[in-house]
Amino acid sequence: MPDMNTRLLTNFLFCSSFLYYSFKTIIHYIDNQFERYLHDESGLNRRHIVDNRVHCCFYFISPFGHGLKPLDVEFMKALHGKVNIVPVIAKADTLTLKERERLKRRVLDEISEHGIRIYHLPDADSDEDEEFKEQTRVLKASIPFAVIGSNQLIEVKGKKIRGRLYPWGVVEVENPEHNDFLKLRTMLVTHMQDLQEVTQDLHYENFRSERLKRTGKPVEEEVVDKDRILQQKEAEVRQQFDRIQMRADVPPFNMGVG
């Protein structure tokens, strides 16, 4: 668990098969952030690198239907080698508790069946306290997280809560008996550093090695080559400017007869 005084910058991405039209755009965005980090890491000023890499992708799964759609499978398989995927079932308030548990099991079975690699929470260390160990066990058992969302504040028994109002009652966003929102938030807070480390040690290193295989040369050499080309261009422009300047300094030839 990160120290409370440690500031961690973690970047998240929200995806679902509803955004399939932007499939390539999302992949391109993730790769671009890796590319930028790789370029900055290979530069001279490495102390002030801004880490814009995507450390976690919340993949939202529709509650309607009987599990993953073919688009979900294709999309997640395209993402799982580039980013930590955390599957999330959206609109959990449209399901009964039994339907929710049935859908969770079905989604996990299909993720395993199709060989999709999602983010797995690490086991708690043996020296952790029992409360943290139990928390980790509960979080692991809750995947995929089934959540609800709301931007409305509703007054219930004199207290304002964020939730949804139905004829039969109120669904509270931050009530662990109603959905997994608090568990998802707890997972992010307690495992933020691990998400970053997996991104660095696994996804980024995979990208880096594949990048070197494609180009056949280290990024450092590519940076030097680009700098050399820029210097050559600057020298050519400078020579052209000097020639123009020299012509401007030559007095015009006098064609007249004295």
Side-chain angles (χ1 to χ4, degrees):
M1 185 172 178
D3 191 288
M4 296 302 293
N5 295 321
T6 303
R7 183 176 181 272
L8 296 176
L9 177 62
T10 307
N11 302 308
F12 303 101
L13 185 65
F14 300 85
C15 296
S16 78
S17 59
F18 299 117
L19 299 174
Y20 187 75
Y21 65 89
S22 59
F23 182 101
K24 291 183 178 179
T25 303
I26 292 173
I27 298 294
H28 184 65
Y29 176 79
I30 295 173
D31 285 342
N32 271 353
Q33 305 316 308
F34 280 146
E35 187 72 40
R36 287 176 58 185
Y37 190 87
L38 185 58
H39 182 273
D40 292 343
E41 190 181 47
S42 306
L44 297 176
N45 187 11
R46 303 182 185 183
R47 293 185 178 180
H48 305 290
I49 297 178
V50 178
D51 187 1
N52 289 316
R53 295 174 297 179
V54 180
H55 301 102
C56 180
C57 171
F58 299 109
Y59 191 90
F60 284 86
I61 300 165
S62 172
F64 311 113
H66 302 284
L68 297 179
K69 300 176 182 177
L71 288 183
D72 291 320
V73 174
E74 185 177 354
F75 203 166
M76 294 173 79
K77 292 185 79 170
L79 288 171
H80 69 182
K82 298 176 180 292
V83 67
N84 298 309
I85 297 178
V86 175
V88 179
I89 297 173
K91 300 180 179 179
D93 51 332
T94 61
L95 302 169
T96 65
L97 294 179
K98 288 186 178 180
E99 290 172 340
R100 188 186 305 174
E101 292 307 312
R102 190 181 306 123
L103 181 57
K104 284 189 174 192
R105 289 195 299 270
R106 180 66 180 269
V107 167
L108 286 179
D109 288 343
E110 292 181 340
I111 284 175
S112 176
E113 176 186 343
H114 292 286
I116 298 170
R117 300 188 299 274
I118 62 174
Y119 174 70
H120 291 285
L121 278 70
D123 294 329
D125 294 335
S126 57
D127 57 348
E128 295 284 357
D129 58 52
E130 292 302 319
E131 183 179 353
F132 184 76
K133 290 180 180 178
E134 176 62 16
Q135 182 188 79
T136 302
R137 187 196 65 78
V138 171
L139 293 178
K140 284 187 173 186
S142 300
I143 298 174
F145 298 98
V147 302
I148 64 172
S150 175
N151 55 8
Q152 295 181 340
L153 290 176
I154 303 170
E155 188 169 333
V156 178
K157 297 180 180 179
K159 181 181 177 181
K160 287 194 174 183
I161 57 98
R162 192 173 298 278
R164 292 181 178 273
L165 180 63
Y166 292 99
W168 43 263
V170 175
V171 177
E172 302 176 28
V173 171
E174 298 186 7
N175 188 331
E177 295 183 1
H178 293 179
N179 74 111
D180 296 330
F181 176 81
L182 283 183
K183 295 175 184 176
L184 176 59
R185 187 171 70 183
T186 300
M187 186 276 290
L188 294 178
V189 172
T190 56
H191 292 81
M192 193 176 296
Q193 186 170 353
D194 187 65
L195 287 167
Q196 290 185 329
E197 291 175 355
V198 174
T199 299
Q200 171 67 30
D201 299 338
L202 178 63
H203 301 300
Y204 175 66
E205 284 305 316
N206 286 343
F207 172 85
R208 190 174 186 275
S209 61
E210 287 297 321
R211 176 76 161 69
L212 297 182
K213 287 180 183 177
R214 290 199 309 268
T215 59
K217 63 173 71 174
V219 177
E220 292 87 344
E221 292 183 15
E222 289 195 357
V223 173
V224 172
D225 288 344
K226 290 178 181 178
D227 290 342
R228 187 181 299 115
I229 293 173
L230 288 175
Q231 290 173 3
Q232 291 174 353
K233 292 292 184 184
E234 289 176 359
E236 291 174 4
V237 171
R238 192 179 301 111
Q239 290 175 2
Q240 291 177 0
F241 178 79
D242 290 342
R243 284 196 294 268
I244 294 173
Q245 193 70 24
M246 288 176 62
R247 290 173 185 170
D249 293 339
V250 174
F253 183 71
N254 189 355
M255 295 295 290
V257 179

